[in-house]
């Protein structure tokens, strides 16, 4: 089995790349890294839905990945225990929020079996960063967490009948002025995500 891992940014990916010792094998159209044991390809797509969709398709069609893992950071939309900055969660369902032109009304559930010991959350993917209370409250009825890529990663994997799993670390609460919290927390949270990601991969290849 070839595992494909997708990150949006190098800031999110660097901890895992250093930890795993993955070797860079390409820079275009996406930064691509290879880990020989276990067999893993890591792509860094860049931010946004289009880049994430294309990079996911590249991992499946060109790198022959038959399982997609998505990792990174996110903001919290809901005010409840367990959604504080620093928490690591397994994504159980993803959607693109309020339906509209080109935005499906249904979410997609994760059929993967990794990170069963982690708490779960619903993730909403949107077009722009969310760092204000008005947008946060509007999106909170659609999910617990927010980012800019992951729902389309799931949709592409689903189209190709490829199983997918996602793990996210919370850096901020997506409210007014929370961009500074993202910058302050992204390195520490990405390190924690990398550790969980590595543990999940090892449990998969040894099961």
């Amino acid at each position: 089995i070839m595992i494909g891992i997708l990150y949006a940014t190098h800031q999110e990916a660097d901890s895992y790349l250093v930890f795993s010792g993955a070797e860079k094998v390409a820079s275009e159209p996406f930064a691509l890294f290879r880990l020989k044991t276990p067999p893993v390809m890591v792509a860094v797509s860049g931010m946004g839905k289009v880049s994430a969709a294309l990079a996911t398709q590249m991992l499946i069609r060109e790198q022959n990945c038959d399982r997609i893992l998505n990792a990174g950071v996110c903001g919290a939309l809901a005010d409840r225990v367990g959604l504080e900055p620093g928490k690591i969660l397994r994504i159980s369902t993803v959607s693109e929020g309020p339906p509209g032109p080109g935005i499906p009304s249904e979410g997609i559930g994760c059929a993967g079996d990794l990170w069963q010991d982690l708490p779960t959350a619903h993730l909403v993917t949107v077009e722009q960063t969310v760092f204000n209370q008005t947008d946060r409250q509007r999106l909170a009825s659609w999910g617990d967490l927010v980012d800019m890529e992951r729902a389309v990663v799931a949709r592409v994997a689903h189209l190709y009948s490829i199983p997918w799993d996602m793990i996210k670390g919370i850096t901020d609460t997506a409210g007014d002025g929370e961009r500074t919290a993202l910058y302050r927390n992204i390195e520490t949270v990405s390190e924690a995500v990398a550790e969980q990601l590595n543990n999940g991969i090892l449990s998969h290849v040894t099961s």
Side-chain angles (χ1 to χ4, degrees):
I1 293 177
M2 176 65 76
I3 297 173
I5 300 174
L6 186 71
Y7 278 98
T9 69
H10 284 282
Q11 279 184 298
E12 295 168 282
D14 281 349
S15 292
Y16 179 74
L17 295 174
V18 171
F19 182 80
S20 66
E23 173 190 7
K24 190 171 187 178
V25 294
S27 298
E28 299 291 341
F30 305 102
L32 189 65
F33 303 81
R34 178 173 56 210
L35 183 62
K36 293 181 180 179
T37 306
V40 172
M41 300 299 294
V42 184
V44 182
S45 66
M47 295 174 66
K49 293 181 180 181
V50 174
S51 294
L54 290 172
T56 304
Q57 182 170 266
M58 180 269 294
L59 285 172
I60 295 170
R61 297 190 62 175
E62 298 180 22
Q63 302 302 322
N64 300 311
C65 294
D66 39 28
R67 183 157 194 163
I68 295 295
L69 306 184
N70 188 234
V73 303
C74 63
L77 296 172
D79 294 313
R80 64 174 171 83
V81 175
L83 295 182
E84 302 87 4
K87 297 294 186 181
I88 311 298
L89 300 102
R90 175 172 63 89
I91 303 305
S92 57
T93 54
V94 293
S95 75
E96 294 176 67
I103 299 179
S105 57
E106 313 86 17
I108 298 179
C110 176
D113 56 1
L114 300 184
W115 304 299
Q116 293 294 312
D117 57 328
L118 291 179
T120 60
H122 178 80
L123 177 74
V124 181
T125 292
V126 295
E127 299 282 354
Q128 298 180 327
T129 56
V130 178
F131 290 114
N132 68 80
Q133 198 63 23
T134 300
D135 287 344
R136 182 178 189 261
Q137 291 174 345
R138 176 177 60 86
L139 291 168
S141 61
W142 294 91
D144 307 305
L145 308 174
V146 63
D147 84 338
M148 295 176 59
E149 295 87 20
R150 273 60 180 189
V152 296
V153 174
R155 292 199 183 281
V156 172
H158 182 72
L159 285 173
Y160 283 95
S161 299
I162 298 293
W164 59 271
D165 297 86
M166 293 187 185
I167 183 173
K168 300 288 284 186
I170 299 174
T171 53
D172 58 88
T173 59
D176 297 332
E178 282 291 287
R179 191 183 298 271
T180 56
L182 165 64
Y183 296 148
R184 183 174 64 249
N185 295 325
I186 188 169
E187 182 176 355
T188 300
V189 173
S190 294
E191 289 174 355
V193 170
E195 183 177 356
Q196 288 284 353
L197 178 62
N198 185 67
N199 291 341
I201 292 171
L202 291 178
S203 70
H204 175 67
V205 298
T206 57
S207 61

